[in-house]
Amino acid sequence: MWRNVMCGLVVLLSWICLSFCGGEAPVTNCKKKAYKWEKSSSGTSADLYGSVLLKTGHAWAVGAQGTILRSTDFGKSWSPQTSGTTKTLYSVSFVDKNNGWAVGESGVVRKTINGGESWEEAPSPSKDTLRSVQFLDKSTGFVVGDQFTISRTSNGGRIWLAADTAKDPQKATHFQSLADDPFRNRLP
């Protein structure tokens, strides 16, 4: 039963991404009854905490000490990218094969416009650790972090607007649980 629920949620979220992102949604295929997972080496000993996979086969993984890895073949092989930070990165989001954001420890935000060939520091909505990032397109994005940090941007991350969670602690708790969800950014 939980597999069907998770599969339905992934399909719904993918449909939303397809609607807003011009077809660059995470890979999902819930029609198959079984999935074949193949073991591959990431080439790093760093702990990895977040990943994203586009249907084009482009993938990124982020982790400890500013680790960013990139794959262009659905994760069969990985190459390191220079993040420009030694802070732990917890989440990564790409809207297409070029435009992406990574967030993490102490409010670090990194941005790329060239598929990760270079990552630059971007404005952060908080000094608290950011646990999750999700962009719908090149302009609209959301971050969730510690201390009930919930922020939205409509200009690619140049300016972040904080959500007022003090008026509705239940809403803040819901968003925090999304950030802590161990199944986000995972294939069904």
Side-chain angles (χ1 to χ4, degrees):
M1 176 177 140
W2 283 108
R3 182 188 180 283
N4 291 339
V5 170
M6 291 303 295
C7 186
L9 287 173
V10 169
V11 169
L12 176 63
L13 290 173
S14 295
W15 178 81
I16 291 168
C17 272
L18 281 169
S19 298
F20 290 104
C21 301
E24 295 288 346
V27 173
T28 59
N29 185 347
C30 291
K31 293 180 181 174
K32 294 182 180 179
K33 297 284 183 199
Y35 298 94
K36 182 179 178 185
W37 291 92
E38 295 179 14
K39 191 173 184 177
S40 67
S41 174
S42 66
T44 183
S45 60
D47 290 335
L48 300 174
Y49 298 109
S51 62
V52 63
L53 173 62
L54 302 180
K55 69 179 184 177
T56 60
H58 292 81
W60 290 264
V62 296
Q65 300 172 335
T67 299
I68 299 180
L69 303 175
R70 178 182 183 208
S71 174
T72 58
D73 57 8
F74 290 96
K76 291 178 185 170
S77 62
W78 294 90
S79 58
Q81 294 187 319
T82 303
S83 68
T85 185
T86 57
K87 294 182 179 173
T88 296
L89 299 171
Y90 289 106
S91 182
V92 61
S93 177
F94 271 76
V95 296
D96 57 39
K97 68 180 183 175
N98 293 314
N99 296 281
W101 295 260
V103 300
E105 183 181 10
S106 301
V108 66
V109 178
R110 308 301 291 176
K111 179 182 178 179
T112 183
I113 58 172
N114 57 17
E117 294 298 320
S118 62
W119 289 85
E120 62 185 45
E121 185 176 2
S124 177
S126 175
K127 293 193 184 300
D128 293 312
T129 294
L130 300 173
R131 303 285 177 175
S132 185
V133 60
Q134 184 64 54
F135 271 76
L136 302 178
D137 55 40
K138 291 180 189 178
S139 299
T140 309
F142 302 87
V143 293
V144 179
D146 291 356
Q147 304 302 314
F148 300 110
T149 299
I150 304 170
S151 297
R152 178 182 195 267
T153 183
S154 58
N155 58 17
R158 289 191 303 274
I159 298 173
W160 293 92
L161 301 175
D164 184 6
T165 57
K167 294 180 184 174
D168 191 351
Q170 278 187 324
K171 197 179 286 183
T173 303
H174 173 71
F175 276 102
Q176 186 64 38
S177 69
L178 289 175
D180 296 336
D181 180 4
F183 296 105
R184 68 175 161 49
N185 290 335
R186 304 285 199 289
L187 294 175

